[in-house]
Amino acid sequence: MRNYILADNQELTRLALISLVKQDDDKLYVATDKAGLVELLKEHEDATVLLDFTLFDFSDVDQLLIIGERFALSQWILISDELTPAFMRRVVYASHQFSIVFKDGPLSEVREALQTVSRHQRYISQRALEVIINQQQAAEEERPSILTETETEIVRAIAQGKSTKEIAAERFSSVHTITTHRKNIFRKLGINTAHEVIKYALRAGLVDSSEFYI
């Protein structure tokens, strides 16, 4: 037996979801606001919550994540007409409790999400996944501005296959100085390896594909 909490203020959507969710001995509860949702989660901590975030009285994504963390056994399927790329990315990276589908998507996606969540796995619809990936790529393409001119030149040199010692010699700097620049570059770009520097340099247009070395 599974417990479901339906947190959606659109009557037609509620009726449709009830028909999809109600199976045999499964229990279905309805919450009309955040306070009611929390009270139901206190009684059924392992429930699966079907939530339209955009229609509920959450002030921001942090409130949602806090409630999810508070009820760590709960699982959430976010079903909305529209969720921003930043919101989806934040939720997906913050916790594996949250799955995402869209109301205007096919019913098969909702069914698949319910089946996946029942196996304690997360489900992200193809559309949501594409939005998250595109947002990530857009954020990465904007990153050149966070690097100084010197750091950008060092990124280009790394992508061309030059060692720290070679870069130091070319720039009449010490190895220690170049190593410090590398650490700062890795921190700013959120990366850990020279190979990731190469991929970044290619995406940012800092080098041509014929210039880099792997």
Side-chain angles (χ1 to χ4, degrees):
M1 183 188 77
R2 291 184 293 272
N3 294 312
Y4 292 94
I5 299 175
L6 185 54
D8 191 306
N9 290 323
Q10 288 182 329
E11 187 174 1
L12 284 175
T13 304
R14 284 204 306 267
L15 291 173
L17 290 174
I18 288 171
S19 68
L20 287 173
V21 169
K22 202 70 173 70
Q23 300 286 334
D24 302 325
D25 296 328
D26 292 345
K27 299 294 184 182
L28 179 65
Y29 307 90
V30 176
T32 57
D33 57 26
K34 184 180 63 182
L37 174 58
V38 170
E39 289 303 313
L40 285 170
L41 282 168
K42 288 179 181 177
E43 298 177 24
H44 312 286
E45 294 188 354
D46 63 344
T48 296
V49 181
L50 287 80
L51 170 70
D52 186 335
F53 179 84
T54 59
L55 294 181
F56 245 58
D57 57 337
F58 285 95
S59 61
D60 54 35
V61 65
D62 289 324
Q63 279 194 346
L64 175 64
L65 294 175
I66 288 170
I67 293 176
E69 185 177 353
R70 178 180 175 186
F71 300 101
L73 297 178
S74 64
Q75 297 180 84
W76 302 66
I77 301 177
L78 304 181
I79 306 176
S80 296
D81 287 321
E82 185 176 351
L83 295 170
T84 67
F87 173 92
M88 288 189 286
R89 187 164 176 258
R90 174 82 187 281
V91 168
V92 166
Y93 287 147
S95 173
H96 282 272
Q97 289 173 267
F98 295 94
S99 298
I100 300 176
V101 294
F102 288 96
K103 280 187 177 180
D104 59 357
L107 280 177
S108 59
E109 283 190 346
V110 180
R111 291 194 185 95
E112 189 173 354
L114 289 166
Q115 292 171 358
T116 302
V117 170
S118 71
R119 298 191 297 268
H120 299 282
Q121 298 173 345
R122 179 166 67 180
Y123 180 87
I124 307 296
S125 72
Q126 182 63 32
R127 175 180 160 193
L129 190 60
E130 289 173 357
V131 170
I132 292 168
I133 291 173
N134 289 338
Q135 200 266 351
Q136 173 71 25
Q137 290 175 340
E140 289 177 350
E141 288 170 359
E142 293 174 359
R143 278 178 174 166
S145 61
I146 69 174
L147 298 180
T148 66
E149 183 177 346
T150 296
E151 288 168 344
T152 300
E153 291 173 359
I154 291 173
V155 165
R156 185 179 291 110
I158 293 172
Q160 291 169 341
K162 296 175 182 177
S163 68
T164 299
K165 192 175 293 186
E166 289 172 328
I167 297 171
E170 284 185 359
R171 299 188 61 82
F172 304 100
S173 299
S174 69
V175 171
H176 173 74
T177 297
I178 301 303
T179 299
T180 300
H181 281 307
R182 281 174 61 106
K183 289 179 180 178
N184 289 335
I185 290 166
F186 282 26
R187 175 180 54 79
K188 287 182 177 182
L189 299 181
I191 59 179
N192 298 291
T193 67
H195 185 69
E196 290 175 295
V197 172
I198 294 170
K199 292 195 293 184
Y200 166 79
L202 285 169
R203 285 195 300 266
L206 299 180
V207 292
D208 184 83
S209 59
S210 62
E211 293 183 79
F212 77 92
Y213 168 84
I214 297 181

